[in-house]
Structure formats: C-alpha cells, structure tokens
C-alpha cells in the first residue's frame, strides 16, 4: 500500500458519523506494549531501536489484518507526510517528532495502526466511528494476542504490562472518544464536566490529545488510570460516561434553542455567511464556524445535506493537507488560509 493510496482513500471513520446528533465522532482503543530485556525507546541507542524495530515490525506485518497495509519508517517520511498522518490521527505527535528506528504500520482499512518505538516499543490502536469502544477493544485485542504469541512481552503478575510511563502500567490501555460539545461549551458547563470526569479517573483533552486545545469544540476524552481495573471495566466505565455526556450535550443544545432561539439561529446563520463568503480562514476560525453549523444541523436549523461531508472537509482543511493541495512548493500561512476558504466555500455550495 502506497502513501498516496492511503491519503486518497480515507477510512470511513474519518469521514462518516454514526451518531445521529453528530456528538460522538470516534472511539479508539490504544495499547502500550514492550519487550522483555530490551531498553525502552527513550533509553535505547539507535542500534538497539533498529534491532527492536526489525523484530517487532517483521512479526506485526505477518498478522492477517495488517498484511498488505501501509508500512513506513519515520526516517523515510518528509515532515509534511508525518504531519498528514498526525492530522488523520494515524500516528501521534510524539512519533512524528522521532526518526531513526521508528516506524508505523497501518491496516488497509485504516482502522488499525501500530506505532513502533514511540514512547514504548509498540503502541497498538484501533478506531471506529461513533460509540463503539467495546467493538474496538475486541478488534485490537485479537491483534494484541497474535503479537503476544510471537513476541516476548514485558509483563509482571503484580504490575501488569510494563510501560515506559508508570501511568500506563497495568492494562496499558487508553480508551478514548472524540466528542463535539458546543452546547456544553456555550452554556459554560465544561468545567463541571472536567471535574466530574476527574472523579472517575477520566481526563478531557483537546483535538490531538495531551497538550492540545479543544479547537472547534472537539474534545478527546479518555481513561486516566490503567492499573487496578480490567480492560472490560475500563471500556464499560468509558462507554457509560460517554453516553451520559452525549445525553447532557444534546439536552444543552435543546435548552439553548428553547431559551435563546433567535440568538442560536443568528449564530448559525452568521457562521454560514462567513464560511460561504470569506476569502481567508484560519484553521481555528474555520473549525469554530463549522462547529456552529454542525450544531445547527443537529437542531434542524440548517440543512444536513450541506454538511454530509463535514468530517472529510475538516480533515482536508488541516495545514498539512492544504500544503499537499497547493500548486507551489512553499505555502505561506495566508496562502493556506485562502485555500482553506476556497475548499469550504465549494463544499457548502455543493460544487
């Protein structure tokens, strides 16, 4: 599978939504795994990382679901190619910052990906649209079991799977969902959500995870602890919290429409006006305006048809995707803002 094949055929979870109210966009399960008697990537020499990569990637590429997928060593990718994979949530920002002895393997469906020598020797992830954490866990568990049968995993009967960061000890699992929460943001309830989540050992982060902002009212929500709970318990708690939060978001949107109908409709209309007429749009402004349109569509203020490809549009207006569409080798921020505005204008007009 070639890089262009990967980019020209985005996974369904990237461009489709299973949530009728467009609240829960994706579900992801990520597992951290390491080998015995082998230094963690951050402590290993270049030669040790390359030896570990040769062993782990060779076995991973033999797993049926990963055969025929896209494989690349980070040292062979350009900075733009790395950023494209980050923007599609196929690799982490941490892996993109690395090079020698690091690689990624992505299944043909692009639901599954394996990161080699990021913080841990292996980071396995599986992504599905909507609230499907249990299904994602079942899928990645099969891949994990096949790898564990082939590789000497570092495991302790008391501490569980050994990881580079102590916070990942135990199951090594991060169960996360991407949620669109404009109703709770506008009604100033997100602080209460963050506090309630913390009491359940759940954390609320931005679009690209730890250290990033919640641009466009998009939040990544995941379990904070991995030690002391089973995988099934983590998935169940996260699924229940996500369902409850989606219900709160929907109620917040309906209350806003009931108490401030004209203001909400005006905000949605203004967002549409700017998006269909602006000649320059930054990433932050575009995502913020598209967020209002998405909310308006869920409340039947705005046509669902005009937003049928909104997830794909959001992906295509990220900086690295725009640079790929540019006809020049060097793109300035202003040029990217112009291309972004053109893409959105054409998408909303149906051209």
């Amino acid at each position: 599978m070639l890089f262009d094949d990967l980019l020209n055929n985005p996974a369904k979870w990237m461009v489709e939504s299973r949530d009728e109210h467009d609240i829960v966009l994706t579900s992801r399960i990520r597992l951290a795994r390491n080998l015995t008697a082998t230094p963690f990537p951050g402590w290993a020499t270049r030669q040790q990382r390359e030896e570990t990569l040769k062993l782990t990637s060779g076995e991973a590429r033999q797993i049926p679901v990963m055969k025929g997928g896209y494989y690349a060593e980070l040292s062979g990718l350009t900075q733009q190619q790395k950023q494209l994979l980050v923007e599609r949530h196929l690799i982490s920002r941490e892996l993109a910052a690395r090079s020698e002895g690091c690689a990624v393997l992505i299944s043909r469906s692009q639901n599954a990906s394996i990161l080699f020598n990021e913080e841990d020797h292996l980071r396995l992830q599986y992504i599905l649209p909507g609230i499907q954490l249990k299904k994602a866990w079942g899928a990645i568990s099969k891949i994990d079991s096949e790898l564990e049968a082939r590789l000497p995993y570092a495991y302790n009967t008391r501490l569980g799977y050994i990881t580079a960061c102590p916070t990942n000890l135990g199951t090594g699992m991060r169960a996360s969902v991407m949620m669109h929460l404009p109703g709770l943001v506008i009604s100033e309830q997100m602080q209460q959500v963050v506090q309630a989540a913390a009491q359940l050992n759940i954390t609320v982060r931005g679009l690209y995870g730890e250290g990033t902002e919640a641009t466009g009212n998009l939040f990544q929500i995941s379990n904070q602890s991995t030690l002391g709970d089973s995988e099934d318990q983590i998935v169940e708690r996260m699924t229940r919290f996500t369902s409850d939060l989606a219900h709160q978001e929907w109620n917040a949107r309906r209350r806003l429409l009931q108490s401030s109908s004209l203001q909400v409709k005006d905000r949605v209309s203004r967002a549409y006006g700017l998006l269909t007429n602006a000649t320059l749009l930054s990433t932050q402004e575009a995502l913020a305006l598209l967020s209002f349109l998405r909310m308006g569509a869920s409340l039947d203020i705005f046509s669902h048809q005009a937003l049928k490809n909104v997830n794909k549009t959001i992906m295509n207006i990220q900086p690295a995707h725009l640079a790929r569409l540019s006809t020049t080798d060097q793109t300035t921020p202003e040029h990217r803002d112009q291309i972004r505005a053109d893409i959105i204008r054409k998408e909303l007009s149906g051209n």
Side-chain angles (χ1 to χ4, degrees):
M1 189 177 189
L2 301 176
F3 192 82
D4 283 346
D5 295 330
L6 189 77
L7 293 184
N8 294 332
N9 298 282
K12 289 185 177 180
W13 63 264
M14 297 180 189
V15 298
E16 295 181 1
S17 176
R18 287 172 56 96
D19 188 331
E20 63 175 321
H21 300 313
D22 198 31
I23 296 174
V24 185
L25 306 185
T26 60
S27 296
R28 182 188 73 164
I29 299 291
R30 189 215 71 194
L31 303 175
R33 299 290 186 257
N34 289 282
L35 307 186
T36 58
T38 307
F40 293 127
W43 283 265
T45 64
R46 175 178 173 178
Q47 181 180 348
Q48 288 173 323
R49 288 197 305 273
E50 289 176 344
E51 289 173 353
T52 301
L53 174 61
K54 183 178 180 180
L55 172 62
T56 54
S57 65
E59 296 297 343
R61 295 172 79 176
Q62 297 306 310
I63 295 175
V65 73
M66 305 306 293
K67 283 185 176 180
Y70 174 74
Y71 175 80
E73 295 190 14
L74 272 290
S75 57
L77 295 178
T78 65
Q79 195 58 43
Q80 184 190 99
Q81 287 175 322
K82 293 177 185 179
Q83 187 58 32
L84 281 163
L85 295 177
V86 170
E87 289 175 0
R88 294 199 177 194
H89 298 277
L90 292 172
I91 68 171
S92 64
R93 294 181 304 145
E94 291 76 15
L95 186 69
R98 298 173 181 262
S99 184
E100 287 82 7
C102 304
V104 61
L105 175 62
I106 303 168
S107 67
R108 294 190 68 85
S109 68
Q110 300 179 50
N111 293 107
S113 61
I114 301 175
L115 314 187
F116 301 93
N117 286 333
E118 187 222 46
E119 183 178 76
D120 297 284
H121 295 139
L122 294 164
R123 286 283 179 96
L124 291 64
Q125 73 168 25
Y126 203 93
I127 305 178
L128 290 171
I131 307 180
Q132 297 194 82
L133 287 171
K134 187 175 182 179
K135 186 175 180 180
W137 161 233
I140 201 65
S141 179
K142 291 180 181 178
I143 297 174
D144 184 43
S145 295
E146 291 192 56
L147 273 175
E148 192 165 17
R150 297 165 179 264
L151 297 169
Y153 274 3
Y155 183 84
N156 180 279
T157 54
R158 184 171 65 89
L159 297 175
Y161 289 101
I162 305 303
T163 56
C165 180
T167 59
N168 289 326
L169 285 170
T171 61
M173 172 193 276
R174 281 286 181 269
S176 64
V177 291
M178 187 71 70
M179 301 188 72
H180 180 225
L181 305 174
L184 291 170
V185 171
I186 295 170
S187 58
E188 300 181 347
Q189 297 181 62
M190 279 307 300
Q191 187 57 42
Q192 295 97 301
V193 169
V194 172
Q195 292 172 353
Q199 292 178 359
L200 296 172
N201 284 321
I202 293 172
T203 186
V204 181
R205 297 188 172 105
L207 180 59
Y208 293 106
E210 190 171 359
T212 63
E213 296 180 356
T215 309
N217 299 314
L218 295 171
F219 295 84
Q220 193 175 116
I221 300 167
S222 64
N223 62 296
Q224 199 163 22
S225 62
T226 61
L227 185 62
D229 290 324
S230 69
E231 292 87 349
D232 289 338
Q233 287 173 325
I234 293 172
V235 168
E236 173 60 30
R237 182 167 64 249
M238 277 298 303
T239 299
R240 187 168 57 249
F241 181 82
T242 302
S243 297
D244 290 345
L245 187 54
H247 184 68
Q248 290 178 45
E249 168 62 24
W250 179 237
N251 284 339
R253 294 183 191 184
R254 292 176 64 187
R255 283 195 297 271
L256 282 169
L257 187 61
Q258 292 170 358
S259 63
S260 309
S261 178
L262 285 177
Q263 291 91 329
V264 171
K265 290 177 180 178
D266 180 69
R267 209 161 183 175
V268 171
S269 298
R270 286 175 182 271
Y272 180 75
L274 280 170
L275 289 169
T276 53
N277 289 281
T279 54
L280 296 173
L281 283 171
S282 68
T283 304
Q284 289 76 10
E285 183 180 15
L287 290 177
L289 294 172
L290 284 169
S291 175
F292 288 124
L293 288 197
R294 298 174 84 154
M295 184 178 73
S298 73
L299 294 170
D300 294 325
I301 297 172
F302 190 79
S303 169
H304 288 262
Q305 187 64 23
L307 290 178
K308 62 180 180 180
N309 294 321
V310 66
N311 290 336
K312 185 176 181 179
T313 301
I314 286 175
M315 179 181 69
N316 284 332
I317 63 173
Q318 302 297 319
H321 281 78
L322 292 180
R324 178 172 174 262
L325 295 174
S326 176
T327 56
T328 62
D329 293 334
Q330 297 293 328
T331 59
T332 64
E334 186 176 77
H335 186 215
R336 287 197 297 268
D337 290 350
Q338 182 182 16
I339 298 172
R340 183 179 294 109
D342 290 342
I343 289 174
I344 294 174
R345 191 166 54 250
K346 290 175 182 177
E347 183 65 44
L348 292 179
S349 64
N351 296 330

